[in-house]
């Protein structure tokens, strides 16, 4: 079989930058899936994309499916012949295979011998399969919003204008989205607008680059990064490259050219975050800072043209950004004319959730919980209550309504200006931490209390009205809220009882239609989220299940147990002790009555059971203080030394003695052994 390169390119009008990566990956995945399903051998599948094109290149694509052997099974041998002559069943089967009866074979199976036929079937040509594969791949694209154009009934994200499909140097004839395939593509809209006839599927990137198009999106992003860093160096500044902005800008250009501009220094009187948000959100500019991290009155824009007069392009961008920054300055000045706490009354007019009331209601509930938490973590109760009262006030400011991503940040600025306590001001920004699993947690005690209180209120409230998250829908981001609570408690080393906190948060709500079992439900939902955290920490699912089997309601305590069990599972003695715990668990589970922990030394007849009793008793004295202090790893290290007396006991002692008193005593000994390990986790689960 011969191999060659396949190139598919779909030419479109400018795609939404946020959809380019998704559509590009989906098209490549669809082509890859189609070729794999058809069993056509091929090499690497590469996805390319610009605002005006989606392309896929497949290396070393075979020109056909491989030949394969087809086996057909006919009637049973007993029914195929009678008196040595073929029956109608045999003749009919032979005709269906296009051969004579004498060319059929015998197939031996575990159910007997059958008449059969084998033939080698030639693989279908790849060029015959490609039209269907292309059509299916395009039909499956996750287009965010379809549109029609002209008189056509075809629908796509943007109007499509050309379709290329080359196998080597040959055009593969097909039709999709109302277009017939060809070899004609187009370069940069301004630098190379003429039609380009591709002669080969290979060398696509080089041909497009000659036409002022960087079709490889990763190459284009890195070109932008290099240019921004280089231009910043010329300006004696440091460029701040936001990766999400880099991706978005890359989706707006085919031939990036970085240009530096400036703005009036008077705008630097406005908080830097406001200016940066305006530059990023409105103009897609990269901002520059000095060595101390202070914003400089400079920006870098990415043009989609290599202008013969770049200064005019720069001046145009400077002219555009000026009113944007003026708007930001106006919003800031307007907001500063009122103290932040004057907006508390406005929160009563903003609905948090129809059944849970307004933001004012949420603030009132959160204040009680935050104050309680602050008291428990040696924070300032008054600060926590004040921070909760002000927490959502910046949501009704001009600046945050224009730039929602500045919530919390502006709260801090306005609180500082009003002369609020520095810790209260800091907490207003920290309330949204952590924003994602690996994000930092609040630094201040007031911030910790407020961040917890806000999330606990949301969790109990939304669960309480029955709006529980599902595997596919979580409109209130409850999963993120639960993970945030866990991260704060664990990373912040706050050994608080989550059940107690949830009970307090739930009690702040006036009426919840699903209040019954609410705390247990939210608690279990949160503790189930620890599994993902544990996985990120390199802790096995078995270790998680071992700890989860115990009634642990303090996430920090849960995490300490997890780390201890994970470390224990790697010890040489672990396997034997896990098996012993499993065995003990099974024995105790079969007893009709509960087995006590009280052992009568006088009923211990065998030396090995006496030795085990002494070991268990001695170890209990050592580990109980460690359990009380949460030093589980040290405790399990001590308990690991029980392996020898446990092994000796099971080797030489019959637990289920005929003597009821001795049997009960031995069961109590095993129960006391298991109880020691259960102080940490059900390590019997590790055997799974």
């Amino acid at each position: 079989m011969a191999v060659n390169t396949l190139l598919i390119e779909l030419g479109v009008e400018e795609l939404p930058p946020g959809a380019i990566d998704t559509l590009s990956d989906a098209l490549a995945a669809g082509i890859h899936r189609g070729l794999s399903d058809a069993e056509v051998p091929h090499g690497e599948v590469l996805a390319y994309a610009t605002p005006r094109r989606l392309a896929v290149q497949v290396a070393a694509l075979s020109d056909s499916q491989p030949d394969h052997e087809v086996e057909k099974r006919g009637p049973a041998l007993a029914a195929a012949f009678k008196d040595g002559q073929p029956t109608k069943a045999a003749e009919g089967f032979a005709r269906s295979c296009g051969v004579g009866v004498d060319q059929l074979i015998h197939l031996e199976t575990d159910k007997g011998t059958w008449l059969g036929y084998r033939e080698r079937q030639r693989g279908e040509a790849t060029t015959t399969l490609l039209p269907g594969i292309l059509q299916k791949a395009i039909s499956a694209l996750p287009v965010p919003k379809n549109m029609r154009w002209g008189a056509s009934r075809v629908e796509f994200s943007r109007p499509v204008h050309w379709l290329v499909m080359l196998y080597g140097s040959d055009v593969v004839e097909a039709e999709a989205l109302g277009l017939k395939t060809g070899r004609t593509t187009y370069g940069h809209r301004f630098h190379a607008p003429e039609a380009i006839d591709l002669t080969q599927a290979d060398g696509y990137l080089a041909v497009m680059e000659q036409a002022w198009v960087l079709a490889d999106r990763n190459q284009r992003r890195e070109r932008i990064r290099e240019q921004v860093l280089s231009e910043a160096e010329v300006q004696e500044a440091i460029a701040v490259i936001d990766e999400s902005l880099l991706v978005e800008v890359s989706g707006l250009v085919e031939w990036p050219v970085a240009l530096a501009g400036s703005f009036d220094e008077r705008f630097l009187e406005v908080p830097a975050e406001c200016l940066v948000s305006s530059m990023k959100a409105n103009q897609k500019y990269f901002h520059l800072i000095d060595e101390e991290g202070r914003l400089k009155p400079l920006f870098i824009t990415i043009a989609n043209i290599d202008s013969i007069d770049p200064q005019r392009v720069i001046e145009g961008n400077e002219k555009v950004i000026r009113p944007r920054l003026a708007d930001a300055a106006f919003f800031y000045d307007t907001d500063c004319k009122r103290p932040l706490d004057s907006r508390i009354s406005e929160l009563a007019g903003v609905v948090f959730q129809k059944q849970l009331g307004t933001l004012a209601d949420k603030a009132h509930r959160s204040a009680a919980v935050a104050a309680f938490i602050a008291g428990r973590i040696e924070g300032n109760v008054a600060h926590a209550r004040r921070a909760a009262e002000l927490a959502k006030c910046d949501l009704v400011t001009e600046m945050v309504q224009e730039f929602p991503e500045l919530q919390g940040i502006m709260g801090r600025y306005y609180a500082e200006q009003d002369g609020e306590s520095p810790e209260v001001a800091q907490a207003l920004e920290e309330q949204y931490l952590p924003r994602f699993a690996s994000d930092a947690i609040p630094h201040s005690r007031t911030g910790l209390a407020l961040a917890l209180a806000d999330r606990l209120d949301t969790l109990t409230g939304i669960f309480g009205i029955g709006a529980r998250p599902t595997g596919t829908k979580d409109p209130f981001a409850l999963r993120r809220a639960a993970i945030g609570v866990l991260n704060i408690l664990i990373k912040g080393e706050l050994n608080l009882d989550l059940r107690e906190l949830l009970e307090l948060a739930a009690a702040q709500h006036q009426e919840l239609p699903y209040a019954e079992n609410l705390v247990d439900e939210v608690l279990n939902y949160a503790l189930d989220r620890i599994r993902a955290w544990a996985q990120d920490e390199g802790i096995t699912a078995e270790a998680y299940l071992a700890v989860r089997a115990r009634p642990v309601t303090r996430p920090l305590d849960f995490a300490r147990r997890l780390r201890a069990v994970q470390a224990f599972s790697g010890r040489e003695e672990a396997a034997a002790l896990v098996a012993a715990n499993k065995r003990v668990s099974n024995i105790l589970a079969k007893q009709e009555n509960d087995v006590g922990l009280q052992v009568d030394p006088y009923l211990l007849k065998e030396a090995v059971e006496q030795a085990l009793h002494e070991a268990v008793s001695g170890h209990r004295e050592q580990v109980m203080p460690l359990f009380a202090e949460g030093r589980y790893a040290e405790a399990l290290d001590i308990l690991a030394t029980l392996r020898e007396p446990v092994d000796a006991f099971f080797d030489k002692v019959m637990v289920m003695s005929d003597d009821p008193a001795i049997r009960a005593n031995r069961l109590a000994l095993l129960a006391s052994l298991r109880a020691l390990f259960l102080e940490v986790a059900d390590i019997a689960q590790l055997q799974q």
Side-chain angles (χ1 to χ4, degrees):
M1 290 186 290
V3 297
N4 225 318
T5 300
L6 171 70
L7 173 67
I8 297 170
E9 185 191 55
L10 180 64
V12 297
E13 291 188 15
E14 278 74 5
L15 290 163
I20 291 176
D21 282 5
T22 301
L23 291 173
S24 176
D25 291 338
L27 181 59
I31 299 299
H32 184 275
R33 184 166 50 250
L35 293 172
S36 298
D37 289 347
E39 299 181 353
V40 181
H42 60 83
E44 189 176 13
V45 179
L46 298 171
Y48 302 126
T50 78
R52 299 181 65 216
R53 69 200 73 236
L54 299 172
V56 178
Q57 198 173 48
V58 183
L61 177 64
S62 174
D63 62 356
S64 69
Q65 296 172 314
D67 296 344
H68 60 282
E69 196 172 69
V70 177
E71 183 177 278
K72 297 180 180 178
R73 193 172 78 172
L77 195 61
F81 295 93
K82 185 175 182 180
D83 299 328
Q85 297 299 314
T87 63
K88 289 184 178 180
E91 291 172 345
F93 175 64
R95 281 196 302 274
S96 71
C97 296
V99 298
V101 174
D102 59 338
Q103 292 177 273
L104 299 177
I105 61 174
H106 292 178
L107 299 176
E108 301 289 343
T109 73
D110 55 355
K111 295 184 178 180
T113 304
W114 306 75
L115 211 57
Y117 179 69
R118 289 195 189 101
E119 65 175 339
R120 191 154 192 84
Q121 199 169 79
R122 291 188 62 82
E124 199 166 354
T126 299
T127 51
T128 304
L129 299 168
L130 282 172
I133 291 173
L134 175 64
Q135 185 65 253
K136 190 174 181 180
I138 289 178
S139 299
L141 289 177
V143 177
K145 189 176 182 180
N146 275 318
M147 64 177 292
R148 294 178 184 170
W149 55 95
S152 171
R153 305 296 294 175
V154 174
E155 293 185 353
F156 196 62
S157 178
R158 292 291 186 272
V160 295
H161 294 299
W162 72 86
L163 180 59
V164 172
M165 185 152 65
L166 289 179
Y167 181 63
S169 60
D170 299 328
V171 173
V172 181
E173 294 186 2
E175 187 171 343
L177 296 175
L179 296 172
K180 291 184 178 180
T181 54
R183 64 173 71 250
T184 303
T185 185
Y186 293 84
H188 192 281
R189 187 182 292 278
F190 304 112
H191 288 305
E194 301 83 9
I196 301 169
D197 283 342
L198 297 169
T199 58
Q200 286 281 345
D202 283 327
Y204 170 71
L205 292 180
V207 171
M208 297 315 299
E209 188 163 0
Q210 289 175 1
W212 300 75
V213 172
L214 293 179
D216 186 330
R217 59 191 179 182
N218 294 320
Q219 179 192 9
R220 197 163 64 252
R221 285 171 196 167
E222 290 312 306
R223 179 79 62 88
I224 293 171
R225 189 194 305 276
E226 291 167 6
Q227 289 184 359
V228 169
L229 294 174
S230 176
E231 191 63 32
E233 191 173 338
V234 171
Q235 301 297 325
E236 297 182 346
I238 300 168
V240 179
I241 299 180
D242 182 306
E243 292 299 320
S244 60
L245 178 61
L246 179 63
V247 170
E248 186 175 7
V249 170
S250 176
L252 293 169
V253 298
E254 290 194 316
W255 189 260
V257 177
L259 300 170
S262 62
F263 57 86
D264 197 321
E265 287 193 23
R266 67 183 176 86
F267 289 120
L268 294 179
E269 297 174 5
V270 179
E273 292 89 343
C274 305
L275 304 181
V276 170
S277 285
S278 182
M279 285 190 280
K280 287 169 58 176
N282 295 319
Q283 303 306 129
K284 316 305 176 190
Y285 293 165
F286 295 93
H287 64 282
L288 304 179
I289 59 175
D290 61 19
E291 292 183 351
E292 282 73 42
R294 294 172 302 202
L295 184 66
K296 298 197 72 169
L298 300 167
F299 63 85
I300 294 177
T301 183
I302 304 299
N304 188 33
I305 187 171
D306 195 356
S307 175
I308 58 174
D309 188 0
Q311 187 57 39
R312 288 189 64 185
V313 178
I314 293 170
E315 290 172 357
N317 279 275
E318 290 175 341
K319 184 177 180 180
V320 171
I321 193 59
R322 196 174 301 121
R324 296 291 191 181
L325 298 183
D327 285 345
F330 173 77
F331 295 144
Y332 181 65
D333 290 341
T334 301
D335 289 340
C336 287
K337 291 176 181 177
R338 294 175 54 189
L340 192 61
D341 65 0
S342 71
R343 302 178 187 273
I344 292 177
S345 59
E346 293 180 37
L347 299 181
V350 182
V351 175
F352 165 59
Q353 198 283 333
K354 186 169 69 172
Q355 293 172 266
L356 299 175
T358 65
L359 287 180
D361 296 323
K362 182 174 179 60
H364 179 73
R365 294 191 300 262
S366 296
V369 179
F372 174 84
I373 294 172
R376 286 297 182 89
I377 63 175
E378 300 181 355
N380 187 304
V381 173
H383 285 171
R385 191 178 296 278
R386 179 62 171 171
E389 291 171 352
L390 299 175
K392 306 304 178 186
C393 287
D394 67 346
L395 298 182
V396 294
T397 63
E398 298 281 348
M399 186 67 78
V400 174
Q401 288 185 358
E402 179 70 17
F403 301 109
E405 68 273 15
L406 294 179
Q407 62 184 354
I409 295 172
M410 297 316 300
R412 172 173 62 82
Y413 275 113
Y414 297 144
E416 288 174 345
Q417 177 182 281
D418 295 344
E420 297 284 351
S421 161
E423 186 158 319
V424 169
Q426 183 179 351
L428 298 188
E429 181 173 1
E430 291 181 333
Q431 65 179 302
Y432 297 103
L433 298 177
R435 298 177 186 87
F436 46 88
S438 59
D439 198 12
I441 64 170
H443 177 72
S444 69
R445 295 274 131 180
T446 301
L448 290 167
L450 178 57
L452 283 171
D454 183 59
R455 289 168 172 81
L456 292 167
D457 176 78
T458 299
L459 285 165
T460 53
I462 301 301
F463 268 87
I465 61 172
R468 300 164 180 78
T470 65
T472 56
K473 293 183 179 180
D474 185 12
F476 295 97
L478 298 185
R479 183 177 184 276
R480 188 169 61 199
I483 291 173
V485 168
L486 296 173
N487 274 328
I488 291 170
L489 294 175
I490 294 172
K491 292 181 181 178
E493 296 193 345
L494 306 177
N495 199 21
L496 300 177
D497 190 326
L498 185 53
R499 177 185 292 280
E500 181 182 29
L501 297 182
L502 290 169
E503 287 173 348
L504 177 63
Q508 306 310 308
H509 294 275
Q510 294 298 316
E511 292 183 14
L512 292 174
Y514 294 90
E516 188 176 356
N517 300 321
L518 170 62
V519 170
D520 284 337
E521 186 177 5
V522 181
L523 177 65
N524 286 325
Y525 179 79
L527 293 180
D528 286 345
R529 307 280 82 74
I530 291 184
R531 187 167 193 164
W533 173 87
Q535 187 175 5
D536 292 340
E537 294 286 312
I539 295 170
T540 64
E542 290 78 14
Y544 167 81
L545 292 172
V547 178
R548 189 74 173 89
R550 305 300 299 141
V552 183
T553 58
R554 296 174 181 266
L556 178 59
D557 191 51
F558 200 120
R560 288 170 175 167
R561 292 167 187 259
L562 279 173
R563 294 188 180 107
V565 172
Q566 181 68 21
F568 170 79
S569 65
R571 292 184 63 105
E572 182 183 352
E573 306 92 340
L577 287 170
V578 167
N581 268 270
K582 185 72 173 176
R583 184 173 179 180
V584 172
S585 176
N586 291 336
I587 292 171
L588 296 178
K590 294 176 182 177
Q591 306 310 308
E592 294 182 2
N593 301 315
D594 290 339
V595 176
L597 301 179
Q598 194 64 41
V599 179
D600 185 350
Y602 294 104
L603 291 176
L604 300 173
K605 303 299 182 183
E606 304 291 340
V608 289
E609 61 181 332
Q610 293 169 1
L612 179 58
H613 174 58
E614 290 175 6
V616 169
S617 300
H619 282 60
R620 182 183 295 109
E621 291 182 9
Q622 288 181 273
V623 299
M624 292 309 287
L626 298 177
F627 291 148
E629 296 174 13
R631 294 158 61 185
Y632 302 111
E634 295 175 52
L636 285 178
D637 283 343
I638 293 171
L639 293 181
T641 62
L642 287 171
R643 174 185 174 179
E644 289 187 12
V646 169
D647 285 349
F649 176 86
F650 280 116
D651 285 343
K652 298 181 180 180
V653 172
M654 175 67 70
V655 177
M656 306 307 288
S657 169
D658 293 335
D659 186 323
I662 293 177
R663 181 171 65 247
N665 203 51
R666 288 174 177 170
L667 288 171
L669 176 57
L670 292 180
S672 64
L673 167 68
R674 180 157 166 72
L676 277 183
F677 285 94
L678 288 176
E679 289 286 340
V680 182
D682 183 3
I683 70 165
Q685 299 284 337
L686 295 177
Q687 202 174 51
Q688 298 178 11

